[in-house]
Amino acid sequence: MDRGKVLEFLRQVPFLQRLPGSSLRKLAEVVQVKQYEVGEYVVREGEIGDGIYFILEGQVEISGSASIEEGNHSDLLLKQYDYFGYESGGSIQQATVVALSKLTCLVLPDSYSSLLQPKSIWYADESPGGLSLMEHILCLEPLEVDLFRGFTLPDAPSFRQVFGGQLIGQALAAASKTVDCLKLVHSLHAMFILAGENNSPIIYLVHRVRDGNSFATRRVDAKQNGYVIFTLFASFQKVEEGFEHQEVFLPHVPAPEMLLNIEELRERRLADPHLSMEYRNKIAKKKFIPWPIEIRFCEDYHFSEQSPPRCVLAYASDLIFGGISLNPHRRRGLKIASLSLDHSIWFHRSVRADDWLLFVIESPSASGGRGLSFGRMFNRRGELIMSLTQEGLIRKAKQQNEDLNSKL
């Protein structure tokens, strides 16, 4: 059987979609094709199993002491994309499996079962210690099919509550692991519901809304302490050729190599004699935590006085986006509170997350305690990579003892 077709099938097995692509490619190389006629025994209760069976075509019926005890007869019939034998692992089979139709299975021998337990959801062969901070942030723990757990790392950006970009990036990572990897995200829409707690894990539950030939849709609910704090809708599409045009162009700005990074800007501000000593002391006392994404500003970016790969980009898009709507209202001594309310991204073209991108942001309006921001990301060639919108809550800061649990 053609290995390309085997790989395409394995990518659609829900149980395997939590694995990194490198593991799936290895699985495609070692699985064995086995065929059975109607009524033929695939495995018998009490025998030693050959491995893990993935149903390519046909249906099977499971009977035996283990299945009878479950008492749920709807679970006794398995069809395409289902699997059995995973718990056996070379031990005695606990049930009998019989083909109900002409049956084709892909069998993973027990000697390769370690491929089902990679060191991360992104890399099969690399230990977590070798990953960057950004990869650590997006590295989720698979709990079961469509269920993942994420954490806020001590070195990750935090703003009293879970950073909104972290929720977007981790939720998109969870959704991506449940979709055929031939499909890429082309749009996402997120709603921030409650402020997340930095010290509590985040559970991401993925809902498979639709799986079509060209498109797939996922909804992801992020939960803490039993409450949904964030919801993301994402649409994925198989890459295809089509009409193309672009009516917006790359602005004339300095090359990124000519600009200062965040830490260099901070040092310059600490030594700026035009700023008050009180303000400079405040900046000096504040612990500086480098961002996991390097950002350099084409225009001078003020910390508190008036002045702007896809999961990685989704994470980075929230770092400075909403704050732009505050710029016209900043003045000395004014304390402002801001929170993301909703966030949308359209991915127009493929992109490398390890190269420079220009993020152009504007805020056309603010009213009713909400600020609206529009954004575009360009690559070095001037191609429009992403379009973004965000609405955020912007208010004069409340007293610290007021309730911050709800964002509304």
Side-chain angles (χ1 to χ4, degrees):
M1 185 175 179
D2 179 73
R3 289 301 169 186
K5 292 183 179 179
V6 171
L7 180 58
E8 185 173 356
F9 166 79
L10 294 175
R11 284 169 170 164
Q12 298 180 64
V13 177
F15 175 69
L16 300 179
Q17 287 177 341
R18 64 192 178 91
L19 302 180
S22 56
S23 290
L24 290 175
R25 288 189 290 271
K26 290 180 180 178
L27 287 176
E29 295 175 357
V30 299
V31 291
Q32 303 169 359
V33 180
K34 292 192 176 183
Q35 297 180 322
Y36 304 87
E37 297 297 325
V38 178
E40 186 176 352
Y41 286 95
V42 181
V43 297
R44 295 175 184 267
E45 184 178 5
E47 295 181 349
I48 301 296
D50 293 330
I52 304 165
Y53 294 72
F54 300 97
I55 301 177
L56 180 65
E57 294 178 343
Q59 289 185 324
V60 301
E61 181 181 44
I62 298 180
S63 62
S65 56
S67 60
I68 293 173
E69 290 175 1
E70 293 176 0
N72 188 347
H73 293 278
S74 63
D75 290 339
L76 301 182
L77 298 180
L78 300 181
K79 58 186 184 303
Q80 187 181 39
Y81 303 123
D82 290 334
Y83 65 94
F84 55 91
Y86 179 59
E87 297 297 333
S88 299
S91 60
I92 297 175
Q93 295 288 333
Q94 300 298 312
T96 296
V97 181
V98 180
L100 294 180
S101 62
K102 284 192 173 183
L103 179 70
T104 302
C105 291
L106 300 180
V107 183
L108 177 68
D110 289 324
S111 57
Y112 294 101
S113 61
S114 60
L115 292 175
L116 301 179
Q117 299 173 341
K119 296 179 180 178
S120 84
I121 65 172
W122 300 114
Y123 302 99
D125 302 320
E126 189 168 359
S127 64
L131 305 181
S132 68
L133 175 58
M134 189 71 259
E135 291 169 310
H136 272 291
I137 292 171
L138 296 176
C139 188
L140 307 179
E141 177 188 356
L143 301 178
E144 55 183 78
V145 175
D146 299 338
L147 194 66
F148 303 84
R149 179 162 51 200
F151 300 90
T152 301
L153 303 181
D155 295 332
S158 61
F159 306 90
R160 292 185 299 177
Q161 62 275 333
V162 176
F163 169 50
Q166 173 183 322
L167 290 169
I168 297 172
Q170 289 183 341
L172 180 57
S176 298
K177 299 310 294 184
T178 70
V179 175
D180 175 0
C181 62
L182 296 178
K183 295 185 177 76
L184 302 178
V185 62
H186 70 89
S187 69
L188 66 83
H189 308 275
M191 296 290 294
F192 299 89
I193 301 170
L194 296 172
E197 299 177 4
N198 286 319
N199 297 324
S200 298
I202 307 167
I203 302 299
Y204 293 93
L205 175 60
V206 181
H207 303 270
R208 299 169 184 258
V209 179
R210 179 179 182 268
D211 283 293
N213 292 328
S214 297
F215 290 86
T217 306
R218 296 292 185 266
R219 189 186 92 233
V220 184
D221 291 331
K223 291 186 174 183
Q224 277 189 331
N225 304 316
Y227 295 96
V228 176
I229 64 171
F230 170 86
T231 295
L232 177 139
F233 281 89
S235 182
F236 299 78
Q237 180 189 15
K238 277 188 177 179
V239 177
E240 63 178 75
E241 298 294 328
F243 301 110
E244 187 167 334
H245 75 276
Q246 179 175 320
E247 298 297 331
V248 293
F249 303 99
L250 183 72
H252 294 288
V253 297
E257 293 81 5
M258 304 297 294
L259 300 171
L260 301 178
N261 60 33
I262 293 292
E263 188 170 2
E264 291 168 334
L265 284 175
R266 178 176 180 271
E267 293 301 320
R268 172 184 286 187
R269 197 161 302 281
L270 290 174
D272 189 345
H274 297 94
L275 298 176
S276 67
M277 185 57 68
E278 179 184 359
Y279 171 70
R280 286 189 282 168
N281 287 338
K282 179 180 178 181
I283 294 298
K285 292 178 182 178
K286 187 175 181 180
K287 182 181 179 182
F288 177 71
I289 300 178
W291 289 346
I293 302 293
E294 185 173 0
I295 297 178
R296 299 186 178 190
F297 296 93
C298 299
E299 299 178 0
D300 193 18
Y301 185 81
H302 295 266
F303 289 87
S304 66
E305 302 185 7
Q306 185 170 1
S307 76
R310 297 178 183 255
C311 297
V312 174
L313 295 185
Y315 176 96
S317 66
D318 194 44
L319 275 172
I320 58 173
F321 197 12
I324 299 302
S325 63
L326 285 169
N327 281 354
H329 312 284
R330 297 182 191 272
R331 62 179 184 270
R332 190 182 301 275
L334 177 63
K335 295 183 178 181
I336 301 175
S338 63
L339 293 168
S340 301
L341 292 175
D342 55 61
H343 194 104
S344 296
I345 303 177
W346 292 266
F347 300 87
H348 305 304
R349 293 170 175 84
S350 60
V351 61
R352 291 180 61 92
D354 59 352
D355 198 4
W356 287 107
L357 297 172
L358 178 66
F359 194 2
V360 180
I361 310 172
E362 60 181 347
S363 177
S365 176
S367 63
R370 303 182 313 278
L372 180 66
S373 298
F374 293 155
R376 300 186 183 100
M377 284 194 186
F378 298 86
N379 62 18
R380 283 181 180 265
R381 297 189 298 273
E383 295 174 321
L384 181 64
I385 301 302
M386 296 164 51
S387 297
L388 311 91
T389 63
Q390 185 183 84
E391 187 175 47
L393 183 69
I394 52 174
R395 292 172 173 166
K396 292 183 180 180
K398 296 181 179 181
Q399 298 297 322
Q400 292 186 354
N401 60 355
E402 294 191 41
D403 184 17
L404 289 175
N405 287 333
S406 176
K407 290 198 172 187
L408 301 180

